[in-house]
Amino acid sequence: MTDALSRLLRPRSVAVIGGGTWALNVIRECRKIGFAGELWPVHPSKAEVGGLPAVPSVAELPGAPDAAFVGVNREATVGVVRDLAVRGAGGAVCFASGFAESVAETGDGADLQAALVAAAGEMAILGPNCYGYLNALDGAALWPDQHGLVRVERGVAIVTQSSNIALNLTMQRRGLPLAYVVTVGNQALAGLPEVGRALLADDRVTALGLHIEGVGDVAGLEALARYAHEVGKPVVALKIGASEQARAATVSHTASLAGSDAGGRALLRRLGFGQVGSLTALMETLKLLHVHGPLPHAGIVSLSCSGGEASLMADSAEGTGVTFPPLTEGQRSGLRGALGPKVALANPLDYHTYIWGDADALRRTFTAAMAPHLAMGCVVLDFPRDDRCRPAEWPMVVDAVEAAGRASGVPMGLVASVPECLTEALAEDAMARAIVPFAGIPEALEAIAVAALVRAPGEPVLSSGPLEGEAELLSETDAKTALAAHGLDVPRYRRAVSPAEAAEAAAALGFPVVLKGEGAAHKTEAGLVALGLTSAAGVEDAATQMAAPGYLVEEMISGGVAELLVGVLRDPAHGFVLTVGAGGTLAELLQDTASLLLPATVAEMDAALDSLCTGPLLRGYRGRPAARRDAIHAALLSLQSYVAANAATIEEVEINPLICTPTRAVAADALIRKVMP
């Protein structure tokens, strides 16, 4: 598919099928971007289209086109694609809508899309229901609308499921060199992973940006991630949308806390892709990746001639992961020599205006602030309006930034606190000097944080997919028994069918005990849990008040350092999502969770535990004993082992609470929903 897509995306001949406005636009845009190959219009009755001679059918084309824009209605599209495949065309852009995306409206959209795929055979197609693509490297525009691209020699590629978002991105004025913009629409044949791989195979592409509405091919994305790592090109994604399938399970706390967004984020982390939260952050991150590639970490130095700007940088970094390492003695010494005694030295640094207009002092200051341990150096600089002001002193700041980067080897960036204060021409000039021109402080910091998270992909996820059959809830006892068979530590227990039997069971176990009434998933909310019972009479009385169909009497686990919620939710779009967080009755109130995809390593589990607000309790807070970490690992690995062994039938598994003590990690309660044989 990569070879077929390469022929489609880098054509030497283009057929434009249809005579309406959209087809005319394709001819116009090919001319506008400087397409040097053959343009062949096809129309059954017109002798010419867009000023070019037309042929009445695909069969009468002078040759097999490398690429074709199919701009006819949905029914006719299938036949045209079949004719192109027979003719030996490289591929086609299928513009028409009304296929699988419109099943509810048309009723036959899915069948028509299946017919389209069958008609294409081995030929590559983009869409249906998409605008097509723009290739600014070779000058090809199978694109039925206006766009803002200009020719470039190298740059980033963007693949999106939304044609309108792609159109909007082409209009950016941020200096981002766009090599390709490709829309995939319904992804009937060529999906986002395949297109992404074909684009990364072009040596002139430096980084890949993805706009993802929904994940339909996890294995394909994993293959894309491996290939991106092999060729050393970073990938950053903006993922939107939430899968209703991932919210199908509603019995557990895990289902309400994890959801599909957690699964999507965990998947992108596993793939080694950076993830951004907005289109502007996507563009700023791609600029950074184009110029400097991924960053080793997110520790930066920031310089500005204003204390207000320094404070904005510091405040805006809160919660992003970007840090400002304290200045080393070497940095302080160099800065003191460049700035004199009146400037307070700190990171972020307000270097005041003492050196404004002094090119040598600016260069020495910026160079002194750089050090090998930094991921990046940033200089806040807002240019004045050139139609009303005189920006004579500003270019020397850019010169000093460039000089500092060359002298130190530290990646450099300019940060405009107001995006309008960095014009496209200035941004392009900065890019040519290997300086990242950031438009906006929040976007710059997000880009830096994301670029520090791009890494090699992890191992393939445990495949989930839709569950076959209706899931049923196991009793707590059955759930604990099943998990214990995979090594989970559970309390000693006995079952009883009456209050009197419960009292006898408690006496046999030894006090104190916990009494639970069976028959409800959330026993605490239903009043079916009594803790710390110390006598047989107390157990019998509590059981009588519960009036449950059965009872579970357990040893009371004491000495807990913290209580965790540990759960796994089947997310058909992304895999099995493991969620760890603050547990007990306050789990949903605290919302203190972290999510991973199975299988997860102990290192990943540790990182998730350390990210929790509950993390300090586990490590021993203010003189209290720490939880036994290897016991928590063992509990998580036991849960993972159970899910892996039952992946075809599991909907969700939850342990809440997992009581973590200095010596044990004990599952005080558990539930399992699965398809029963």
Side-chain angles (χ1 to χ4, degrees):
M1 178 62 75
T2 299
D3 291 340
L5 282 169
S6 179
R7 185 181 171 196
L8 169 62
L9 296 171
R10 300 177 60 180
R12 291 170 294 181
S13 58
V14 171
V16 181
I17 300 156
T21 301
W22 301 110
L24 288 170
N25 288 346
V26 172
I27 294 173
R28 179 195 70 203
E29 295 306 324
C30 277
R31 287 169 168 162
K32 177 182 171 183
I33 205 169
F35 180 61
E38 299 288 338
L39 273 174
W40 298 328
V42 178
H43 194 277
S45 59
K46 294 182 178 180
E48 62 90 19
V49 175
L52 295 173
V55 297
S57 69
V58 169
E60 296 174 74
L61 285 169
D66 292 323
F69 182 87
V70 182
V72 297
N73 65 52
R74 68 188 191 116
E75 289 83 5
T77 293
V78 176
V80 169
V81 166
R82 184 179 296 109
D83 293 343
L84 286 166
V86 170
R87 193 74 171 80
V93 169
C94 297
F95 174 64
S97 59
F99 290 85
E101 87 285 353
S102 64
V103 170
E105 293 78 19
T106 64
D108 65 347
D111 292 338
L112 199 62
Q113 184 158 309
L116 179 68
V117 171
E122 297 299 315
M123 185 179 71
I125 60 173
L126 292 177
N129 185 35
C130 80
Y131 259 27
Y133 71 86
L134 297 163
N135 174 348
L137 297 167
D138 305 301
L142 274 76
W143 189 263
D145 206 339
Q146 300 181 86
H147 65 85
L149 261 61
V150 295
R151 297 287 291 272
V152 296
E153 294 183 358
R154 59 192 293 273
V156 305
I158 293 178
V159 186
T160 168
Q161 292 177 243
S162 167
S163 294
N164 205 54
I165 283 180
L167 176 63
N168 296 339
L169 288 171
T170 73
M171 303 298 179
Q172 59 88 26
R173 300 183 183 184
R174 296 166 176 258
L176 175 65
L178 292 171
Y180 290 95
V181 175
V182 184
T183 66
V184 293
N186 291 9
Q187 306 181 85
L189 194 58
L192 184 146
E194 293 84 6
V195 173
R197 178 163 180 166
L199 296 175
L200 289 177
D202 191 324
D203 292 339
R204 300 165 296 175
V205 170
T206 56
L208 177 64
L210 305 176
H211 164 257
I212 306 172
E213 293 181 2
V215 175
D217 183 6
V218 172
L221 284 175
E222 289 175 329
L224 172 62
R226 290 192 296 271
Y227 182 74
H229 182 62
E230 288 171 9
V231 297
K233 297 182 181 181
V235 181
V236 60
L238 170 62
K239 184 182 182 300
I240 62 172
S243 165
E244 289 299 324
Q245 289 174 305
R247 300 183 184 277
T250 57
V251 171
S252 72
H253 295 286
T254 307
S256 61
L257 289 170
S260 64
D261 183 61
R265 289 180 176 278
L267 177 61
L268 292 177
R269 284 197 304 272
R270 177 65 64 89
L271 294 171
F273 295 172
Q275 183 175 6
V276 294
S278 67
L279 289 172
T280 53
L282 177 66
M283 290 185 285
E284 297 305 307
T285 306
L286 285 172
K287 278 195 281 189
L288 171 52
L289 295 174
H290 170 74
V291 176
H292 295 305
L295 299 178
H297 56 83
I300 69 170
V301 67
S302 171
L303 303 103
S304 62
C305 64
S306 161
E309 291 170 342
S311 296
L312 273 176
M313 287 290 285
D315 288 352
S316 299
E318 286 294 310
T320 66
V322 175
T323 61
F324 301 94
L327 298 175
T328 65
E329 285 303 314
Q331 288 172 292
R332 297 177 71 86
S333 175
L335 287 168
R336 184 61 70 208
L339 293 171
K342 295 182 179 180
V343 175
L345 302 183
N347 186 18
L349 175 67
D350 167 17
Y351 60 82
H352 294 238
T353 54
Y354 299 121
I355 60 173
W356 188 256
D358 185 335
D360 182 63
L362 287 166
R363 177 188 56 77
R364 288 188 293 116
T365 296
F366 296 168
T367 302
M370 300 307 122
H373 68 280
L374 296 170
M376 193 167 192
C378 291
V379 175
V380 181
L381 186 67
D382 288 73
F383 288 82
R385 295 176 59 126
D386 57 9
D387 59 339
R388 300 177 184 177
C389 305
R390 293 176 301 169
E393 295 86 1
W394 275 257
M396 69 177 64
V397 180
V398 183
D399 293 341
V401 172
E402 180 183 17
R406 288 182 174 177
S408 66
V410 175
M412 300 298 293
L414 286 174
V415 182
S417 61
V418 178
E420 291 83 356
C421 293
L422 184 64
T423 67
E424 185 172 23
L426 290 167
E428 289 173 347
D429 176 66
M431 296 280 277
R433 302 182 188 213
I435 302 169
V436 185
F438 290 117
I441 289 176
E443 291 84 355
L445 294 170
E446 183 174 354
I448 292 167
V450 171
L453 295 175
V454 176
R455 57 174 64 88
E459 65 177 290
V461 303
L462 179 62
S463 178
S464 54
L467 193 63
E468 298 293 334
E470 194 69 29
E472 299 178 17
L473 183 67
L474 273 63
S475 70
E476 178 183 347
T477 303
D478 290 343
K480 285 180 174 176
T481 300
L483 292 167
H486 286 262
L488 184 67
D489 188 355
V490 300
R492 293 180 295 112
Y493 72 91
R494 293 198 177 187
R495 299 184 71 177
V497 297
S498 68
E501 279 192 18
E504 293 175 4
L509 280 174
F511 297 102
V513 297
V514 177
L515 177 69
K516 300 177 182 178
E518 296 182 325
H522 302 307
K523 298 179 180 64
T524 301
E525 291 88 331
L528 296 179
V529 178
L531 303 174
L533 300 175
T534 58
S535 68
V539 170
E540 186 167 359
D541 181 59
T544 301
Q545 293 182 41
M546 290 178 186
Y551 303 94
L552 188 63
V553 184
E554 293 183 339
E555 66 170 312
M556 180 80 178
I557 305 300
S558 59
V561 170
E563 292 187 351
L564 292 178
L565 173 145
V566 180
V568 173
L569 183 67
R570 184 189 206 95
D571 181 344
H574 307 115
F576 286 94
V577 183
L578 168 65
T579 296
V580 296
T585 58
L586 299 179
E588 288 176 312
L589 179 63
L590 295 176
Q591 296 279 314
D592 178 25
T593 63
S595 294
L596 305 167
L597 287 180
L598 299 186
T601 65
V602 169
E604 291 170 332
M605 294 173 181
D606 263 337
L609 292 168
D610 288 339
S611 73
L612 301 175
C613 295
T614 312
L617 291 177
L618 299 174
R619 295 189 293 270
Y621 184 65
R622 305 192 82 173
R624 295 187 61 187
R628 183 167 177 175
R629 186 60 70 105
D630 62 351
I632 301 175
H633 296 161
L636 296 176
L637 292 171
S638 296
L639 176 58
Q640 178 167 276
S641 172
Y642 173 77
V643 173
N646 296 273
T649 60
I650 289 296
E651 179 69 45
E652 59 181 320
V653 184
E654 180 178 278
I655 301 166
N656 185 31
L658 180 72
I659 300 177
C660 304
T661 79
T663 59
R664 301 173 67 186
V666 188
D669 198 357
L671 68 81
I672 294 175
R673 279 212 312 152
K674 63 179 296 189
V675 175
M676 304 303 292

